[in-house]
């Protein structure tokens, strides 16, 4: 991953608490309606975009920053490239194939996927390995509800995520910066964890292309790159998948990629982070602040070796 450029964000762009609280109430009411309006078939299932007990109550990063400071290398390596170029991404029709070590492999259309579970608003921290972080109000549903559809076999231990490859819409893939398509992976128990979601929207609206439309993974206790965008295939395996960043630089990016302030990146520290929109750095929290919910998944692991 490349070194970050300094974003030009003023402290005044931080969302004030009162505005955030008001907006959050508004979002709870409006989220389902906005998406339902765009996807009339699933209207009956959506409900009011209910808020989640897993949400943080920290101030939100502004919508402008969430949608204009992105990593989506298929559209270029600069932070502003995805907002500029991803409008070409074809997101309709969209299907996700779920295959591998499963009893019932299936290919599901986006509208059927959205019928599987009600969308919830999940306000999660996202911490990038480059040293910046954001707080994003996602609209999503637990990945577990999607994975259960195919009845995984007992031999399945890992889940691989393969993302879209559209050579004609993605200027970035012509440059050999990464091995395409972009892939990610999780252990099965991480994938089934209630904090792990598939997001179809943010800020009460459908997902902007630059944020991984129409469906992306969000794993809040791991560095941002684990959250693959524009997922088209999910494969159950018995072996640890080799992910895009591991192939690109195995000494820098491990399979687990849990946010861990005690394990530095070989070229820079991971002890602190800069919340986009804030001036001063803050201390990075173990598992990005989600230790109470996820630390038990890793009691057997040496987190320095399995970084
Ligand atoms: N998914 C795809 N397909 N391609 C990418 O380049 N970048 C990752 C991740 N998912 C990436 C991807 C990285 S490095 C980060 S930090 C997050 O997406 C950024 O998500 P955001 O732009 O929505 O904040």
């Amino acid at each position: 991953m490349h070194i970050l450029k300094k974003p030009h964000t003023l402290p005044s762009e931080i969302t004030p608490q009162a505005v955030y609280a008001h907006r959050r109430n508004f979002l709870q009411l409006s989220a389902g309606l906005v998406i339902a309006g765009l996807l009339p078939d699933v209207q009956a299932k959506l409900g009011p975009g209910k808020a989640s007990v897993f949400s943080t109550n920290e101030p939100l990063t502004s919508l402008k920053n969430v949608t204009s400071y992105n990593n989506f290398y298929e559209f270029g390596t600069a932070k502003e490239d995805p907002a500029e170029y991803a409008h070409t991404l074809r997101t309709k029709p969209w299907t996700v194939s779920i295959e591998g070590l499963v009893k019932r492999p299936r290919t599901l259309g986006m509208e059927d996927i959205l019928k599987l579970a009600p969308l919830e608003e999940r306000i999660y921290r996202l911490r990038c390995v480059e040293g910046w972080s954001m707080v994003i109000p996602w609209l999503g549903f637990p990945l577990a509800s999607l994975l259960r559809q195919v009845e995984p076999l007992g031999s399945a231990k890992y889940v691989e995520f393969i993302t879209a490859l559209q050579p004609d819409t993605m200027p970035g893939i012509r440059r050999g910066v990464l091995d395409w398509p972009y892939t990610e992976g999780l252990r099965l128990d991480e994938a089934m964890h209630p904090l792990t979601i598939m997001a179809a929207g943010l800020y009460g609206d459908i997902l902007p292309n630059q944020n991984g439309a129409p469906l992306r993974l969000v794993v809040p206790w791991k560095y941002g790159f684990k959250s693959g965008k524009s997922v088209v295939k999910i494969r159950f395996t018995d072996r640890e998948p080799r992910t895009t960043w591991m192939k690109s630089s195995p000494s820098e990016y491990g399979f687990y990629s849990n946010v861990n302030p005690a394990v530095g990146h070989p070229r820079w520290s991971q002890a602190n982070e800069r919340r986009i929109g804030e001036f001063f750095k803050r201390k990075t929290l173990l598992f990005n602040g989600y230790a109470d919910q996820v630390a038990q998944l890793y009691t057997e692991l040496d987190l320095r070796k399995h970084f």
Side-chain angles (χ1 to χ4, degrees):
M1 227 158 291
H2 297 253
I3 311 287
L4 76 162
K5 277 193 218 150
K6 286 258 177 286
H8 305 288
T9 316
L10 300 169
S12 58
E13 282 187 59
I14 304 167
T15 313
Q17 194 64 39
V19 174
Y20 149 76
H22 170 78
R23 186 163 61 203
R24 190 160 171 215
N25 289 338
F26 169 72
L27 276 169
Q28 285 167 23
L29 290 170
S30 66
L33 298 176
V34 174
I35 291 211
L38 289 158
L39 297 163
D41 298 1
V42 294
Q43 192 157 15
K45 285 274 173 188
L46 284 178
K50 68 183 164 93
S52 166
V53 291
F54 294 119
S55 288
T56 169
N57 58 9
E58 289 168 76
L60 304 180
T61 303
S62 72
L63 176 64
K64 184 169 178 290
N65 280 329
V66 170
T67 56
S68 63
Y69 188 85
N70 300 104
N71 277 333
F72 200 167
Y73 276 31
E74 289 86 332
F75 294 98
T77 54
K79 293 284 174 283
E80 57 277 13
D81 284 344
E84 189 169 347
Y85 301 114
H87 61 93
T88 53
L89 179 74
R90 276 186 307 280
T91 57
K92 281 179 197 160
W94 195 270
T95 57
V96 179
S97 302
I98 317 181
E99 55 181 50
L101 299 174
V102 301
K103 209 184 274 178
R104 268 191 349 131
R106 293 184 72 180
T107 296
L108 292 161
M110 197 52 204
E111 295 193 350
D112 291 329
I113 291 171
L114 289 175
K115 285 179 201 162
L116 296 174
L119 288 189
E120 272 175 42
E121 184 190 69
R122 296 278 186 112
I123 301 174
Y124 281 167
R125 290 177 283 270
L126 177 138
R127 203 298 194 175
C128 179
V129 78
E130 295 164 328
W132 50 268
S133 64
M134 297 193 188
V135 176
I136 303 177
W138 300 106
L139 283 173
F141 60 88
L143 171 64
S145 11
L146 185 57
L147 299 185
R148 282 199 199 96
Q149 301 303 309
V150 295
E151 300 173 42
L153 298 176
S155 52
K157 300 280 179 279
Y158 297 91
V159 190
E160 186 179 22
F161 300 85
I162 296 121
T163 70
L165 183 62
Q166 294 180 4
D168 58 324
T169 71
M170 297 172 159
I173 67 165
R174 290 193 280 278
R175 293 181 223 131
V177 282
L178 291 176
D179 186 45
W180 312 108
Y182 187 100
T183 66
E184 259 312 331
L186 293 174
R187 224 169 53 189
L188 187 57
D189 56 349
E190 296 175 323
M192 298 299 284
H193 193 280
L195 277 177
T196 305
I197 58 166
M198 293 305 286
L202 58 79
Y203 262 107
D205 208 339
I206 59 165
L207 214 51
N209 287 0
Q210 61 267 38
N211 294 87
L215 196 65
R216 72 172 290 173
L217 181 64
V218 180
V219 195
W221 69 95
K222 293 179 181 273
Y223 290 115
F225 64 91
K226 293 301 276 185
S227 295
K229 294 177 168 182
S230 308
V231 171
V232 292
K233 195 177 284 189
I234 299 177
R235 191 183 291 140
F236 286 80
T237 67
D238 52 4
R239 287 203 198 141
E240 190 180 280
R242 268 193 87 220
T243 66
T244 291
W245 287 108
M246 289 166 80
K247 285 187 207 160
S248 158
S249 185
S251 62
E252 297 181 26
Y253 307 113
F255 175 78
Y256 282 91
S257 310
N258 288 318
V259 175
N260 188 347
V263 177
H265 182 280
R267 289 186 278 138
W268 60 83
S269 159
Q270 296 289 11
N272 301 304
E273 69 200 56
R274 208 179 74 79
R275 184 68 49 88
I276 299 293
E278 291 181 4
F279 186 72
F280 294 107
K281 285 195 171 181
R282 54 171 70 211
K283 282 197 183 314
T284 285
L285 302 173
L286 183 61
F287 300 117
N288 205 20
Y290 298 95
D292 287 352
Q293 292 96 328
V294 301
Q296 85 281 357
L297 297 176
Y298 306 107
T299 45
E300 308 284 297
L301 280 190
D302 174 350
L303 293 178
R304 289 190 171 269
K305 209 164 132 221
H306 299 275
F307 58 88

